[in-house]
Amino acid sequence: MRLTIEHRTRYRYSREVMLQPHELIVTPRDSGGLTTVERSLECSPPAEISWTIDVFGNLVAAASFSEPTQELMIVSKAIVDHVAPEWPIYSVSPEAHSYPFTYSLDDVIDLGALAQPDWLTPGGERVGAWARAFVMGLQTDSLSLLKDLNAGVLRDIHYRVRDEEGTQSPAGTLELRSGSCRDIAALFIEAARHLGFGARAVSGYLFDPDQRDEDAGATHAWAEVYLPGAGWIAFDPSHRRMGNSQLIPVAFARSNRQIMPVTGEYIGAAQDFESMDVTVRVRLNP
């Protein structure tokens, strides 16, 4: 299917401020199931935009501003061809069928921190114990275990819209028993790493064709887990879904904080900031 995506972010200030350079990660990332046909990125006030590729291979725009303003508007548009199957079938290598399994030496080296729990953040042991409760017996099917974890997060965590910036710690999400999509994804990722899997954070857009609003869409955060043979498999614990059929990836990273859609500062007082609002429209082209 061909989709049109429009992502608008607006910042308002009580008086004119000078914008510092902003980093924008809002452009869909091409993959085996996604091809970008057109894209554009505009800012008001006008910005000088340069493009680069980060360490994860994500397309990043750096916007530099030269005039003071009371409002910043960032508009990203893209047309993409999306062909991910609704019910994907994964060919997992025989050596990884049964859990626990051992990654090859090359995979261990290349996955690196993506397969390592965050022991520096308090509460890691609690997350590990919570994750291990999903393991049924001495040996189980690796993909089935990940499916159970993906489906089981919402058993203990209540989804809620959270406007505050940043991501809760996985242990904090367990403690609060609630979180946004990025909090839930972060808990899933950390749990998968405690089980020995390589996992990464994904940011992008969600398109639900079952919604009545033809412009339905939202920014979204989910996870991917690496299984030999199958490669990176998308897991969306906020919706208990597996696969990319309704997901449009923009960026991959070790953690959500590395791929926020818009980051930047301004020269002025903290009280000069008034509001921020985000609008995302994802439309199915006829």
Side-chain angles (χ1 to χ4, degrees):
M1 58 184 174
R2 179 161 290 189
L3 301 172
T4 297
I5 305 158
E6 182 178 296
H7 180 179
R8 292 178 176 264
T9 306
R10 180 171 59 180
Y11 295 87
R12 289 176 173 172
Y13 307 92
S14 60
R15 65 182 182 91
E16 287 193 338
V17 298
M18 195 67 211
L19 299 170
Q20 296 289 81
H22 280 52
E23 186 175 270
L24 314 176
I25 308 178
V26 291
T27 302
R29 174 168 173 160
D30 288 3
S31 62
L34 185 76
T35 302
T36 302
V37 179
E38 296 179 17
R39 71 164 185 255
S40 65
L41 179 61
E42 297 180 354
C43 298
S44 178
E48 180 179 342
I49 297 177
S50 59
W51 296 89
T52 187
I53 303 293
D54 70 8
V55 68
F56 299 105
N58 302 312
L59 187 60
V60 181
S64 300
F65 304 89
S66 59
E67 59 185 74
T69 186
Q70 278 189 257
E71 181 177 290
L72 169 61
M73 176 73 80
I74 302 166
V75 181
S76 171
K77 297 180 181 179
I79 298 176
V80 301
D81 284 335
H82 194 18
V83 295
E86 185 173 357
W87 302 103
I89 298 174
Y90 298 104
S91 299
V92 180
S93 295
E95 67 271 16
H97 278 174
S98 296
Y99 177 86
F101 68 90
T102 302
Y103 285 112
S104 70
L105 180 58
D106 281 341
D107 284 347
V108 169
I109 294 171
D110 294 336
L111 287 170
L114 298 180
Q116 296 299 316
D118 179 13
W119 295 110
L120 298 179
T121 301
E125 281 295 343
R126 180 179 181 183
V127 175
W130 178 79
R132 288 188 291 273
F134 288 91
V135 180
M136 306 301 291
L138 296 178
Q139 275 201 328
T140 186
D141 181 78
S142 299
L143 190 55
S144 295
L145 170 58
L146 290 168
K147 289 179 180 179
D148 289 345
L149 178 62
N150 186 56
V153 174
L154 293 186
R155 180 194 66 194
D156 297 325
I157 308 300
H158 171 69
Y159 172 80
R160 67 181 175 93
V161 177
R162 191 171 66 81
D163 295 327
E164 301 91 343
E165 290 187 3
T167 303
Q168 294 173 174
S169 71
T173 299
L174 281 178
E175 180 69 27
L176 294 170
R177 300 182 67 84
S178 68
S180 66
C181 63
R182 62 186 182 275
D183 302 321
I184 292 171
L187 173 59
F188 175 91
I189 291 167
E190 190 66 6
R193 289 173 180 167
H194 272 280
L195 294 176
F197 294 101
R200 64 186 183 184
V202 191
S203 68
Y205 303 108
L206 172 69
F207 172 65
D208 188 349
D210 294 329
Q211 290 190 17
R212 293 182 180 181
D213 183 358
E214 65 175 7
D215 288 334
T219 55
H220 194 45
W222 63 97
E224 290 188 347
V225 176
Y226 182 77
L227 283 181
W232 290 101
I233 301 175
F235 290 92
D236 182 7
S238 297
H239 297 93
R240 294 191 173 103
R241 295 194 191 112
M242 182 179 69
N244 280 313
S245 66
Q246 297 181 15
L247 303 172
I248 304 161
V250 166
F252 310 122
R254 179 170 42 85
S255 63
N256 292 320
R257 64 177 177 79
Q258 297 172 293
I259 46 175
M260 300 296 291
V262 179
T263 54
E265 299 179 349
Y266 64 89
I267 298 176
Q271 58 267 28
D272 293 338
F273 175 78
E274 282 193 341
S275 64
M276 180 194 77
D277 58 83
V278 178
T279 303
V280 175
R281 293 186 174 90
V282 182
R283 184 174 67 254
L284 181 63
N285 288 12

